[in-house]
């Protein structure tokens, strides 16, 4: 698949971070996210990539302070502009500084409320507007996200909108508080291909105009190549690889990333996709979680967790192959604080 990728200089200081984040099941104590480091910088789009069950959405919910009842943060820190917010974003930040859109807008919108009532309520709560001011702001925001005839949309219920229109309404609500960070959790998965492209174009346009920092959660590497400046690959709740999108896609340093790329169909090639063998792990062992499925695994891969290292080309990788086998490459420990 031939795609263009975005290039951007790395801003100096992260706006939102997760440091050594550990999330566990309250019932069993099993680790669901195991020491993830994530740094999101102002004005960039960072893609969080991996198979279903890799910990992408749980990591995002921890950043929002919205972990489900059966999951708790057992280690690490969530920081906003360098200050530890303890994983509890709360009303003082959520919607105003950090906002989110999710995979299925129809499941997120209240079916009893019109789109107008939803947006007016958002503007009144987040911007302390009067009802009249909020009505005007809501209509203006619907126009900004590309919805024709905002007055008609304001009167519509969620079930009266198409999937793409409902997602645009969700984006309008997410932007009501003028947040600095937008977390987009699989925002195009439930949409048809044409509408997916329109929503991605809209998100990219909003990010460019406003300078938002966007965390895009997806398993679609085509989406990553189209929209993301950087990408972070998760597997089994642990980080596998991180780096500039064009670098990682052109020369992946981790066997899991290479396996993901090999499993994608390529319409321009006669080569069939190569699926990753076996199934994802059910728990954490002592070594790399991908070791049982990795065709390049060393004995050390099952016995010791690989150290996250920074390669000369800027990629960060958690792989014994990069630590032990790659000759002549300067490496240093990954500094998640930038």
């Amino acid at each position: 698949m031939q795609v263009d990728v975005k290039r951007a200089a790395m801003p100096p200081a992260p706006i939102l971070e997760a440091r050594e984040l550990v999330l566990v099941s309250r019932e069993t104590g099993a680790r669901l996210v195991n020491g993830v480091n994530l740094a999101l910088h102002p004005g960039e789009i960072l893609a969080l990539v991996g198979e279903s069950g890799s910990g992408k959405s749980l990591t995002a919910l921890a950043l929002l302070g919205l972990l489900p009842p059966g999951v708790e943060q057992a280690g690490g820190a969530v920081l906003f502009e360098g200050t530890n917010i303890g994983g509890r974003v709360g009303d003082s930040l959520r919607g105003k500084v950090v906002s989110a859109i999710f995979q299925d807008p129809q499941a997120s919108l209240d079916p009893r409320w019109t789109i107008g009532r939803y947006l007016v309520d958002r503007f009144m709560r987040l911007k302390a507007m009067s009802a009249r001011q909020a009505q005007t702001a809501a209509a203006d925001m619907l126009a900004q996200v590309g919805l024709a005839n905002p007055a008609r949309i304001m009167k519509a219920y969620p079930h009266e909108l198409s999937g793409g229109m409902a997602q645009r309404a969700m984006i309008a609500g997410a932007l009501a508080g003028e947040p600095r960070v937008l977390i987009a959790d699989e925002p195009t998965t439930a949409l048809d291909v044409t509408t997916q492209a329109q929503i991605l174009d809209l998100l990219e346009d909003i990010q460019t105009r406003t300078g938002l920092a966007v965390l895009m959660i997806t398993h679609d590497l085509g989406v990553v190549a189209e929209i993301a400046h950087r990408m972070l690959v998760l597997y089994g709740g642990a980080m596998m690889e991180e780096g500039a999108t064009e670098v990682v896609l052109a020369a992946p340093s981790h066997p899991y990333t290479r396996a993901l790329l090999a499993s994608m169909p390529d319409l321009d090639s006669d080569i069939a996709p190569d699926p990753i063998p076996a199934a994802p792990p059910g728990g954490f062992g002592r070594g790399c979680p991908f070791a049982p499925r990795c065709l390049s695994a060393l004995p050390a891969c099952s016995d010791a967790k690989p150290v996250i290292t920074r390669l000369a080309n800027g990629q960060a990788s958690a792989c014994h192959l990069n630590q032990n086998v790659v000759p002549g490459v300067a490496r240093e420990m990954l500094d998640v604080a930038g």
Side-chain angles (χ1 to χ4, degrees):
M1 178 179 59
Q2 298 295 320
V3 290
D4 294 327
V5 292
K6 294 177 64 63
R7 299 174 184 270
M10 179 67 69
I15 185 172
L16 188 64
E17 295 177 82
R19 294 186 182 176
E20 294 296 327
L21 182 67
V22 177
L23 305 176
V24 302
S25 166
R26 291 181 185 271
E27 182 178 353
T28 66
R31 289 196 172 197
L32 307 173
V33 169
N34 190 21
V36 166
N37 290 303
L38 178 153
L40 179 64
H41 298 79
E44 76 164 345
I45 301 176
L46 171 64
L48 198 56
V49 182
E51 294 173 89
S52 297
S54 62
K56 305 185 302 296
S57 293
L58 278 181
T59 298
L61 290 174
L63 296 175
L64 287 164
L66 292 174
L67 286 173
V71 179
E72 65 180 351
Q73 182 177 328
V78 175
L79 300 93
F80 175 74
E81 293 188 326
T83 300
N84 189 353
I85 56 177
R88 297 178 296 275
V89 175
D91 291 338
S92 63
L93 295 178
R94 192 183 305 121
K96 302 174 185 176
V97 174
V98 182
S99 196
I101 56 175
F102 298 99
Q103 178 174 340
D104 185 358
Q106 299 288 2
S108 300
L109 294 166
D110 191 326
R112 301 167 299 176
W113 284 20
T114 63
I115 299 302
R117 181 178 175 184
Y118 160 68
L119 289 175
V120 167
D121 178 75
R122 295 278 294 177
F123 276 103
M124 291 178 67
R125 287 191 297 107
L126 296 175
K127 303 294 289 183
M129 291 181 172
S130 67
R132 184 181 297 274
Q133 290 172 325
Q135 285 275 353
T136 301
D140 289 344
M141 184 61 76
L142 287 174
Q144 288 182 41
V145 298
L147 283 169
N149 198 346
R152 181 180 68 82
I153 300 296
M154 292 271 285
K155 298 176 183 178
Y157 287 90
H159 72 273
E160 296 178 300
L161 303 182
S162 68
M165 294 169 70
Q167 191 61 283
R168 288 175 186 268
M170 282 295 299
I171 294 171
L175 299 178
E178 298 183 33
R180 298 172 61 191
V181 175
L182 178 65
I183 297 177
D185 189 354
E186 302 276 11
T188 61
T189 300
L191 307 175
D192 63 77
V193 175
T194 301
T195 307
Q196 283 183 22
Q198 293 171 353
I199 294 298
L200 289 175
D201 288 344
L202 173 62
L203 289 173
E204 190 172 16
D205 177 65
I206 290 170
Q207 188 274 330
T208 301
R209 286 190 290 105
T210 64
L212 267 175
V214 178
L215 180 64
M216 171 72 72
I217 299 167
T218 183
H219 62 270
D220 189 333
L221 293 176
V223 169
V224 175
E226 180 177 344
I227 199 171
H229 302 113
R230 286 193 303 126
M231 58 186 293
L232 172 61
V233 182
L234 294 185
Y235 179 82
M239 171 186 159
M240 299 289 102
E241 180 169 2
E242 178 269 328
T245 299
E246 66 270 22
V247 174
V248 174
L249 293 182
S253 66
H254 199 284
Y256 177 58
T257 312
R258 292 195 290 270
L260 280 181
L261 288 168
S263 68
M264 291 181 61
D266 187 348
L267 299 180
D268 297 322
S269 172
D270 294 332
I271 300 175
D274 187 11
I276 302 174
F284 291 98
R286 292 180 300 174
C288 172
F290 187 58
R293 304 174 73 191
C294 182
L295 300 179
S296 305
L298 302 169
C301 296
S302 299
D303 297 330
K305 183 179 179 180
V307 176
I308 300 173
T309 56
R310 181 73 74 180
L311 307 181
N313 61 4
Q315 286 164 272
S317 181
C319 182
H320 288 294
L321 290 170
N322 291 320
Q323 295 165 27
N324 298 328
V325 187
V326 180
V329 178
R331 295 180 294 271
E332 61 184 11
M333 291 300 296
L334 173 64
D335 179 6
V336 296

